[in-house]
Amino acid sequence: GIGWRYYRGVETRDWTEAQTVPTVQLVHMGAAKNGGTLMLPGQLQAFTNAPIHAQVTGYVKKWYVDIGAPVKKGQLLAELDTPDLDGQVQQGRANLANVVAAQKLSAATAKRWNALFAQGAVSRQDKDEKDADLAAKDAAVAAARANLYSLQAQEGFKRLVAPFDGVVTSRTVDVGALVTTGTTTPALFTVSDQRRLRLYVNVPENYAAAIRPGLKARFAVPQAPGRTFVADLVASAGAVNQASGTTLVQFGVDNADGALQPGGYAQVTLPLPAGINGVRLPATALTFRDQGMVVATVNGEGRVHLIPINIVRDLGQAVDATGVSDSDHIIDNPSDSLSEGDKVLVATAK
């Protein structure tokens, strides 16, 4: 009887000690094979856009194209009447004729004095004075020609022409209107090349690593419901805007059919690579400790290891988090009493 009671006592003690080791269940949440998509607003802009300002002051004599009109490179958009500039050009021509006449007289005088100096009839001082006067007259002729060339070049700006093939998207002048030089005034015309557009998207900083060469984005616009367009990655700013915490990304869009308009809003869908959002975990696996949000895992020795995580997306019943991998044995519904290094028993693994 003593032996039997001793045996039962040892058995009871072992069972009691075994009950002090908590039993846990594990969850294995693998990284998604597909990284999903990211939807962001975008802005469409013309690939080439040129606001055309006046380079000379004058009055609009006539305009030839209105908004929406397709134009070719070099096509005349408007003509300006510039009476002040025309007077300056005539004055420049007269000034050039005057200095040319003075230069010819100085050249003839210098030639005669050089001949007299060779015969010893005049002093070197007198001869050098005539040569210096001829050099001054030559410089005056060059200055007058340069001034006339500048005025004639400005006369060319009386004709406003299209800088490239495109569409006139704005016109702010009419016949008889006074126009002045400078970019502070509104542009007289705006010409846009709409055969190819730029799509600008501000990508959040934590997704900037997903912007890689060869990326294709899909987008939709309100003016074409039910239709999806494709854009190719052109460039990334490579820097984060401190005010918005985003990186500006540019895509190229083929618009040969003219279905898209520059300046429009676009809803852009970007594909994300697998694993960019980390591992998807059930919300029940999360626990909050002194070091922040953590998950409890079981190592190969059956002991608890607490791993801090960073939640990328909160989906309600599940979260996408970084800091753990799909190979970690994560405890589901961890008890608040679990501490680093505690011994646990694994019941089942889902």
Side-chain angles (χ1 to χ4, degrees):
I2 293 175
W4 176 252
R5 287 193 298 270
Y6 177 77
Y7 171 75
R8 296 294 294 179
V10 172
E11 188 179 48
T12 302
R13 183 188 62 194
D14 293 341
W15 179 86
T16 303
E17 291 178 355
Q19 295 305 309
T20 60
V21 179
T23 301
V24 297
Q25 291 184 342
L26 302 183
V27 290
H28 275 284
M29 303 302 295
K33 294 181 180 179
N34 188 352
T37 58
L38 180 64
M39 298 186 66
L40 296 170
Q43 186 77 25
L44 288 169
Q45 296 293 341
F47 200 83
T48 306
N49 186 74
I52 300 175
H53 296 266
Q55 295 296 314
V56 293
T57 299
Y59 299 90
V60 178
K61 182 178 181 181
K62 189 175 182 180
W63 56 268
Y64 298 93
V65 293
D66 207 347
I67 58 174
V71 293
K72 296 293 184 180
K73 181 178 180 180
Q75 181 176 339
L76 183 62
L77 304 179
E79 287 182 305
L80 302 180
D81 188 9
T82 57
D84 291 343
L85 179 62
D86 295 342
Q88 292 176 17
V89 171
Q90 294 178 2
Q91 182 180 358
R93 290 195 178 101
N95 183 47
L96 177 61
N98 183 34
V99 296
V100 167
Q103 185 261 354
K104 289 182 178 179
L105 176 60
S106 179
T109 301
K111 183 177 180 181
R112 288 194 296 269
W113 282 75
N114 286 331
L116 293 174
F117 174 76
Q119 298 173 4
V122 295
S123 66
R124 176 177 292 274
Q125 177 68 25
D126 294 336
K127 178 256 186 189
D128 290 343
E129 289 179 357
K130 303 305 179 182
D131 290 342
D133 182 69
L134 175 61
K137 295 296 190 298
D138 290 340
V141 170
R145 283 177 177 166
N147 181 59
L148 180 61
Y149 174 79
S150 176
L151 294 173
Q152 290 175 337
Q154 293 181 41
E155 256 196 331
F157 291 114
K158 294 166 56 175
R159 293 168 48 88
L160 303 178
V161 298
F164 48 79
D165 296 351
V167 176
V168 177
T169 58
S170 73
R171 177 183 63 83
T172 61
V173 295
D174 212 333
V175 174
L178 173 65
V179 295
T180 57
T181 60
T183 57
T184 57
T185 58
L188 306 183
F189 294 90
T190 302
V191 179
S192 300
D193 184 3
Q194 302 182 8
R195 294 171 298 178
R196 187 168 175 80
L197 303 180
R198 303 176 192 264
L199 175 62
Y200 291 100
V201 183
N202 289 302
V203 179
E205 180 180 358
N206 53 328
Y207 291 104
I211 306 303
R212 300 174 181 175
L215 178 66
K216 292 183 178 293
R218 297 184 178 274
F219 67 95
V221 293
Q223 67 195 49
R227 185 175 176 182
T228 302
F229 301 88
V230 179
D232 299 319
L233 178 65
V234 175
S236 174
V240 177
N241 188 322
Q242 294 182 356
S244 63
T246 59
T247 298
L248 183 63
V249 179
Q250 175 186 331
F251 294 88
V253 184
D254 186 11
N255 190 38
D257 58 353
L260 300 172
Q261 295 179 352
Y265 165 83
Q267 187 175 14
V268 185
T269 302
L270 299 177
L272 298 177
I276 191 166
N277 290 321
V279 178
R280 181 159 297 179
L281 304 172
T284 54
L286 306 180
T287 181
F288 192 81
R289 299 297 174 90
D290 293 340
Q291 60 267 45
M293 192 66 66
V294 299
V295 293
T297 61
V298 181
N299 59 19
E301 299 176 356
R303 295 193 177 274
V304 175
H305 177 49
L306 301 179
I307 301 178
I309 62 171
N310 178 37
I311 297 178
V312 179
R313 292 194 301 182
D314 190 345
L315 305 175
Q317 296 183 351
V319 297
D320 291 339
T322 58
V324 292
S325 65
D326 55 353
S327 61
D328 290 328
H329 301 288
I330 300 172
I331 300 175
D332 195 12
N333 288 312
S335 172
D336 291 339
S337 61
L338 285 180
S339 301
E340 180 73 23
D342 286 354
K343 183 71 175 179
V344 295
L345 296 177
V346 177
T348 56
K350 294 182 181 180

